Amino acid sequence: MSLAEHRGLAVRLAYDITGSWSDAEEIAQEAMLRVLQTEAVRDERALLARATTNLAIDRQRRARVDYIGAWLPEPISTGPGADDAVADAEEVEIALMVALDSLSALERAALLLHDVFDFSFDEVADMLGRSNSAVRQAASRARSAAAARRPRFDHTDADARVLVERFAAAAVQGDVDGLVALLAADVTLVTDGGGKVSSARRPVVGADKVARFLAGLSKQFEGRVGVVPLELNRATALAVLLDGELDQVHWAGVESGRIVALRIVRNPDKLAAARVALAAVG
Protein backbone atom coordinates (compact mmCIF):
# COMPACT_ATOMS: atom_id res chain seq x y z
CA MET A 1 0.00 0.00 0.00
CA SER A 2 1.39 3.42 -0.95
CA LEU A 3 1.57 6.30 1.52
CA ALA A 4 -1.20 8.14 -0.34
CA GLU A 5 -3.55 5.29 0.51
CA HIS A 6 -3.04 6.07 4.21
CA ARG A 7 -4.32 9.64 3.79
CA GLY A 8 -7.69 8.66 5.21
CA LEU A 9 -6.06 7.53 8.45
CA ALA A 10 -4.19 10.81 8.83
CA VAL A 11 -7.15 13.09 8.07
CA ARG A 12 -9.52 11.13 10.28
CA LEU A 13 -7.08 10.91 13.20
CA ALA A 14 -6.25 14.62 12.98
CA TYR A 15 -9.94 15.53 12.91
CA ASP A 16 -10.68 13.25 15.87
CA ILE A 17 -8.02 15.08 17.90
CA THR A 18 -8.50 18.69 16.78
CA GLY A 19 -12.20 18.77 15.90
CA SER A 20 -11.26 20.90 12.90
CA TRP A 21 -11.59 19.55 9.37
CA SER A 22 -9.55 22.33 7.78
CA ASP A 23 -6.76 21.74 10.31
CA ALA A 24 -7.02 17.99 9.77
CA GLU A 25 -6.38 18.29 6.03
CA GLU A 26 -3.35 20.52 6.62
CA ILE A 27 -1.99 18.23 9.33
CA ALA A 28 -2.41 15.14 7.14
CA GLN A 29 -0.48 16.79 4.31
CA GLU A 30 2.35 17.84 6.63
CA ALA A 31 2.50 14.42 8.31
CA MET A 32 2.70 12.65 4.95
CA LEU A 33 5.52 14.97 3.88
CA ARG A 34 7.44 14.13 7.06
CA VAL A 35 7.10 10.42 6.36
CA LEU A 36 8.29 10.87 2.80
CA GLN A 37 11.36 12.70 4.08
CA THR A 38 12.21 9.91 6.55
CA GLU A 39 14.73 7.32 5.42
CA ALA A 40 14.41 3.55 5.91
CA VAL A 41 10.78 3.51 7.03
CA ARG A 42 9.68 0.06 8.14
CA ASP A 43 6.01 0.85 8.85
CA GLU A 44 4.63 3.85 6.97
CA ARG A 45 1.19 3.61 8.57
CA ALA A 46 2.56 3.66 12.12
CA LEU A 47 4.98 6.49 11.36
CA LEU A 48 2.22 8.51 9.72
CA ALA A 49 -0.04 7.99 12.73
CA ARG A 50 2.74 9.11 15.05
CA ALA A 51 3.47 12.27 13.06
CA THR A 52 -0.24 13.06 12.72
CA THR A 53 -0.89 12.60 16.43
CA ASN A 54 1.96 14.88 17.49
CA LEU A 55 1.02 17.59 15.00
CA ALA A 56 -2.67 17.40 15.89
CA ILE A 57 -2.10 17.59 19.65
CA ASP A 58 0.12 20.63 19.17
CA ARG A 59 -2.42 22.31 16.87
CA GLN A 60 -5.29 21.57 19.25
CA ARG A 61 -3.46 23.03 22.24
CA ARG A 62 -2.57 26.23 20.39
CA ALA A 63 -6.08 26.66 19.02
CA ARG A 64 -7.64 26.63 22.47
CA VAL A 65 -5.35 29.18 24.14
CA ASP A 66 -7.33 32.23 23.05
CA TYR A 67 -10.61 30.58 22.03
CA ILE A 68 -13.59 32.67 23.13
CA GLY A 69 -16.66 30.99 24.58
CA ALA A 70 -17.78 27.38 24.26
CA TRP A 71 -16.01 25.03 21.85
CA LEU A 72 -17.77 22.56 19.55
CA PRO A 73 -16.31 20.48 16.71
CA GLU A 74 -16.46 21.67 13.12
CA PRO A 75 -19.48 19.97 11.50
CA ILE A 76 -18.62 17.46 8.77
CA SER A 77 -20.81 15.44 6.46
CA THR A 78 -21.30 11.74 7.16
CA GLY A 79 -24.14 11.49 4.67
CA PRO A 80 -24.20 11.62 0.86
CA GLY A 81 -20.97 13.00 -0.56
CA ALA A 82 -19.01 12.55 2.67
CA ASP A 83 -15.22 12.31 2.45
CA ASP A 84 -14.20 8.66 2.29
CA ALA A 85 -12.01 9.16 5.37
CA VAL A 86 -15.01 9.69 7.64
CA ALA A 87 -17.92 8.13 5.77
CA ASP A 88 -17.92 5.14 8.13
CA ALA A 89 -16.16 6.72 11.12
CA GLU A 90 -18.26 5.97 14.20
CA GLU A 91 -16.13 8.10 16.54
CA VAL A 92 -17.04 11.39 14.80
CA GLU A 93 -20.58 11.23 16.18
CA ILE A 94 -21.25 14.63 17.73
CA ALA A 95 -21.89 13.56 21.34
CA LEU A 96 -18.78 11.38 21.35
CA MET A 97 -16.64 14.15 19.84
CA VAL A 98 -17.73 16.47 22.67
CA ALA A 99 -16.98 13.76 25.24
CA LEU A 100 -13.54 13.08 23.74
CA ASP A 101 -12.69 16.77 23.97
CA SER A 102 -13.00 16.57 27.76
CA LEU A 103 -10.10 14.08 27.92
CA SER A 104 -6.43 14.88 28.31
CA ALA A 105 -4.27 14.76 25.18
CA LEU A 106 -2.67 11.49 26.32
CA GLU A 107 -6.02 9.85 27.11
CA ARG A 108 -7.59 10.89 23.83
CA ALA A 109 -4.62 9.80 21.73
CA ALA A 110 -4.27 6.45 23.52
CA LEU A 111 -7.96 5.68 23.11
CA LEU A 112 -8.10 6.66 19.44
CA LEU A 113 -4.88 4.96 18.38
CA HIS A 114 -5.67 1.68 20.13
CA ASP A 115 -9.47 1.36 20.16
CA VAL A 116 -10.32 3.12 16.89
CA PHE A 117 -7.27 2.62 14.68
CA ASP A 118 -6.20 -0.79 16.02
CA PHE A 119 -2.59 -0.08 16.90
CA SER A 120 -1.13 -2.31 19.62
CA PHE A 121 -0.33 -0.80 23.00
CA ASP A 122 3.37 -1.31 22.25
CA GLU A 123 2.97 0.73 19.06
CA VAL A 124 0.95 3.42 20.85
CA ALA A 125 3.54 3.62 23.63
CA ASP A 126 6.27 4.16 21.03
CA MET A 127 4.25 6.84 19.23
CA LEU A 128 3.50 8.78 22.41
CA GLY A 129 6.84 8.27 24.11
CA ARG A 130 5.23 6.61 27.13
CA SER A 131 5.41 3.18 28.71
CA ASN A 132 3.05 0.38 27.74
CA SER A 133 1.41 0.48 31.17
CA ALA A 134 0.95 4.26 30.98
CA VAL A 135 -0.91 4.14 27.68
CA ARG A 136 -3.01 1.17 28.86
CA GLN A 137 -4.06 3.14 31.91
CA ALA A 138 -4.71 6.26 29.85
CA ALA A 139 -6.91 4.34 27.40
CA SER A 140 -8.82 2.73 30.26
CA ARG A 141 -9.45 6.10 31.92
CA ALA A 142 -10.52 7.53 28.58
CA ARG A 143 -13.03 4.74 27.94
CA SER A 144 -14.62 5.20 31.34
CA ALA A 145 -14.71 8.99 31.10
CA ALA A 146 -16.06 9.06 27.54
CA ALA A 147 -18.76 6.53 28.39
CA ALA A 148 -19.82 8.53 31.44
CA ARG A 149 -19.87 11.88 29.63
CA ARG A 150 -21.36 10.75 26.32
CA PRO A 151 -25.16 10.94 26.23
CA ARG A 152 -26.90 8.20 24.26
CA PHE A 153 -29.07 10.31 22.00
CA ASP A 154 -31.65 8.96 19.56
CA HIS A 155 -30.14 10.18 16.29
CA THR A 156 -31.60 7.77 13.76
CA ASP A 157 -34.97 6.85 15.25
CA ALA A 158 -37.87 8.01 13.04
CA ASP A 159 -39.72 9.55 15.98
CA ALA A 160 -36.61 11.52 16.91
CA ARG A 161 -36.34 12.90 13.38
CA VAL A 162 -40.00 13.98 13.47
CA LEU A 163 -39.37 15.68 16.81
CA VAL A 164 -36.41 17.58 15.37
CA GLU A 165 -38.53 18.67 12.40
CA ARG A 166 -41.24 19.96 14.77
CA PHE A 167 -38.56 21.76 16.76
CA ALA A 168 -37.23 23.44 13.61
CA ALA A 169 -40.71 24.67 12.65
CA ALA A 170 -41.41 26.02 16.14
CA ALA A 171 -38.00 27.74 16.30
CA VAL A 172 -38.48 29.46 12.93
CA GLN A 173 -41.93 30.64 14.02
CA GLY A 174 -40.65 31.84 17.38
CA ASP A 175 -43.32 29.71 19.08
CA VAL A 176 -42.24 29.71 22.76
CA ASP A 177 -45.02 27.41 23.95
CA GLY A 178 -44.43 25.02 21.05
CA LEU A 179 -40.72 24.90 21.84
CA VAL A 180 -41.26 24.34 25.57
CA ALA A 181 -43.49 21.37 24.74
CA LEU A 182 -40.60 19.73 22.85
CA LEU A 183 -37.81 20.50 25.31
CA ALA A 184 -36.84 18.59 28.45
CA ALA A 185 -37.17 20.66 31.62
CA ASP A 186 -33.38 20.67 32.10
CA VAL A 187 -32.42 21.09 28.43
CA THR A 188 -29.02 22.72 27.87
CA LEU A 189 -28.10 24.88 24.88
CA VAL A 190 -24.43 25.47 24.00
CA THR A 191 -23.43 27.92 21.29
CA ASP A 192 -20.02 28.16 19.61
CA GLY A 193 -19.46 31.55 18.01
CA GLY A 194 -15.71 31.59 18.55
CA GLY A 195 -15.83 35.30 19.33
CA LYS A 196 -16.47 35.93 15.62
CA VAL A 197 -20.26 36.34 15.77
CA SER A 198 -22.84 36.93 18.50
CA SER A 199 -23.55 33.84 20.60
CA ALA A 200 -24.35 32.78 24.15
CA ARG A 201 -20.95 32.70 25.88
CA ARG A 202 -22.31 30.39 28.59
CA PRO A 203 -24.76 27.46 28.39
CA VAL A 204 -28.45 28.34 28.51
CA VAL A 205 -30.26 25.91 30.80
CA GLY A 206 -33.98 25.18 31.21
CA ALA A 207 -36.85 24.79 28.77
CA ASP A 208 -38.31 28.26 29.21
CA LYS A 209 -34.94 30.05 28.94
CA VAL A 210 -33.90 28.04 25.89
CA ALA A 211 -37.27 28.55 24.20
CA ARG A 212 -37.13 32.30 24.76
CA PHE A 213 -33.52 32.45 23.55
CA LEU A 214 -34.48 30.72 20.29
CA ALA A 215 -37.65 32.78 19.91
CA GLY A 216 -35.57 35.94 20.32
CA LEU A 217 -33.32 34.85 17.47
CA SER A 218 -36.35 34.09 15.32
CA LYS A 219 -37.79 37.55 15.96
CA GLN A 220 -34.44 39.17 15.18
CA PHE A 221 -34.22 37.41 11.82
CA GLU A 222 -37.93 37.17 11.03
CA GLY A 223 -38.67 36.26 7.42
CA ARG A 224 -35.01 35.69 6.60
CA VAL A 225 -34.50 32.17 7.95
CA GLY A 226 -34.58 28.80 6.20
CA VAL A 227 -33.78 25.34 7.59
CA VAL A 228 -32.36 22.30 5.76
CA PRO A 229 -31.80 18.92 7.49
CA LEU A 230 -28.37 17.34 6.92
CA GLU A 231 -26.49 14.35 8.27
CA LEU A 232 -23.50 15.85 10.03
CA ASN A 233 -21.29 13.93 12.47
CA ARG A 234 -23.53 10.88 12.27
CA ALA A 235 -26.61 12.76 13.46
CA THR A 236 -29.48 14.66 11.92
CA ALA A 237 -28.51 18.33 12.03
CA LEU A 238 -30.29 21.49 10.99
CA ALA A 239 -28.48 23.82 8.61
CA VAL A 240 -29.93 27.26 9.37
CA LEU A 241 -29.79 29.66 6.44
CA LEU A 242 -29.98 33.43 6.80
CA ASP A 243 -30.93 35.20 3.57
CA GLY A 244 -30.08 31.98 1.75
CA GLU A 245 -26.57 31.63 3.20
CA LEU A 246 -25.53 29.12 5.84
CA ASP A 247 -25.37 30.93 9.18
CA GLN A 248 -25.27 28.11 11.75
CA VAL A 249 -25.66 24.39 12.38
CA HIS A 250 -27.87 22.93 15.11
CA TRP A 251 -27.74 19.45 16.62
CA ALA A 252 -30.64 18.39 18.86
CA GLY A 253 -30.01 15.53 21.29
CA VAL A 254 -33.21 13.54 21.88
CA GLU A 255 -33.97 11.29 24.82
CA SER A 256 -37.34 9.76 25.74
CA GLY A 257 -39.28 11.95 23.34
CA ARG A 258 -37.79 15.28 24.45
CA ILE A 259 -34.87 17.41 23.32
CA VAL A 260 -32.36 17.39 26.17
CA ALA A 261 -29.40 19.12 24.51
CA LEU A 262 -28.92 21.68 21.77
CA ARG A 263 -25.53 22.40 20.25
CA ILE A 264 -25.16 25.31 17.85
CA VAL A 265 -22.08 26.08 15.75
CA ARG A 266 -22.14 29.64 14.47
CA ASN A 267 -18.41 30.32 14.20
CA PRO A 268 -18.05 31.09 10.45
CA ASP A 269 -14.59 29.50 10.42
CA LYS A 270 -16.23 26.15 11.22
CA LEU A 271 -18.92 26.12 8.53
CA ALA A 272 -16.92 25.42 5.37
CA ALA A 273 -17.46 21.63 5.37
CA ALA A 274 -21.15 22.09 6.20
CA ARG A 275 -21.50 24.42 3.20
CA VAL A 276 -20.09 21.68 0.99
CA ALA A 277 -22.58 19.20 2.48
CA LEU A 278 -25.41 21.67 1.93
CA ALA A 279 -24.44 22.17 -1.70
CA ALA A 280 -24.36 18.39 -2.20
CA VAL A 281 -28.05 18.07 -1.31
CA GLY A 282 -28.99 20.90 -3.66
Side-chain angles (χ1 to χ4, degrees), residues 164-249:
V164 172
E165 291 172 2
R166 290 171 58 199
F167 161 77
V172 169
Q173 294 166 9
D175 180 359
V176 172
D177 291 338
L179 285 167
V180 169
L182 301 173
L183 302 172
D186 59 350
V187 62
T188 299
L189 179 151
V190 174
T191 307
D192 179 347
K196 306 292 181 67
V197 293
S198 62
S199 63
R201 295 288 181 88
R202 297 181 179 179
V204 180
V205 182
D208 187 68
K209 288 182 179 180
V210 170
R212 293 187 183 282
F213 176 86
L214 294 170
L217 291 178
S218 175
K219 184 176 181 180
Q220 181 181 354
F221 302 122
E222 187 172 5
R224 302 168 59 197
V225 177
V227 179
V228 178
L230 296 174
E231 184 186 319
L232 302 175
N233 293 81
R234 310 202 70 80
T236 299
L238 300 173
V240 179
L241 282 60
L242 184 62
D243 297 328
E245 298 294 330
L246 181 63
D247 182 76
Q248 53 196 273
V249 167

Side-chain angles (χ1 to χ4, degrees), residues 9 17 29 49 79 85 92 95 107 130 143 172-173 184-185 213 241 267:
L9 162 71
I17 292 173
Q29 185 174 5
V92 303
E107 290 169 341
R130 301 297 182 96
R143 286 187 209 102
V172 169
Q173 294 166 9
F213 176 86
L241 282 60
N267 183 343

Side-chain angles (χ1 to χ4, degrees), residues 249-271:
V249 167
H250 292 208
W251 286 286
V254 177
E255 287 182 357
S256 304
R258 288 289 186 274
I259 293 173
V260 300
L262 286 165
R263 298 187 176 99
I264 300 176
V265 174
R266 197 159 183 241
N267 183 343
D269 294 344
K270 293 185 175 184
L271 296 178

Side-chain angles (χ1 to χ4, degrees), residues 60-80:
Q60 191 262 358
R61 284 173 174 160
R62 286 187 284 111
R64 300 301 177 82
V65 171
D66 298 317
Y67 202 82
I68 298 173
W71 177 93
L72 291 170
E74 179 180 346
I76 58 168
S77 174
T78 49

Side-chain angles (χ1 to χ4, degrees), residues 17-177:
I17 292 173
T18 65
S20 168
W21 186 252
S22 55
D23 283 350
E25 292 184 311
E26 291 179 7
I27 289 166
Q29 185 174 5
E30 184 174 348
M32 292 174 70
L33 181 60
R34 288 190 180 188
V35 174
L36 287 172
Q37 293 173 340
T38 303
E39 297 180 0
V41 177
R42 290 183 301 173
D43 187 339
E44 286 187 340
R45 183 173 183 268
L47 184 59
L48 180 62
R50 178 176 187 163
T52 299
T53 299
N54 291 332
L55 288 167
I57 288 174
D58 181 64
R59 183 75 65 95
Q60 191 262 358
R61 284 173 174 160
R62 286 187 284 111
R64 300 301 177 82
V65 171
D66 298 317
Y67 202 82
I68 298 173
W71 177 93
L72 291 170
E74 179 180 346
I76 58 168
S77 174
T78 49
D83 189 290
D84 290 342
V86 293
D88 299 315
E90 297 291 338
E91 80 281 0
V92 303
E93 188 265 332
I94 177 60
L96 181 54
M97 288 286 289
V98 172
L100 288 175
D101 189 63
S102 68
L103 305 176
S104 71
L106 174 62
E107 290 169 341
R108 184 166 56 251
L111 178 67
L112 289 168
L113 289 167
H114 181 267
D115 289 19
V116 175
F117 296 99
D118 297 321
F119 289 102
S120 70
F121 279 122
D122 284 339
E123 290 174 310
V124 176
D126 182 63
M127 291 177 196
L128 301 179
R130 301 297 182 96
S131 67
N132 183 296
S133 61
V135 295
R136 284 180 182 273
Q137 291 170 11
S140 178
R141 290 194 303 270
R143 286 187 209 102
S144 298
R149 296 168 188 168
R150 177 193 182 187
R152 297 290 177 175
F153 295 143
D154 301 324
H155 283 317
T156 57
D157 180 80
D159 290 339
R161 288 196 296 269
V162 170
L163 181 63
V164 172
E165 291 172 2
R166 290 171 58 199
F167 161 77
V172 169
Q173 294 166 9
D175 180 359
V176 172
D177 291 338

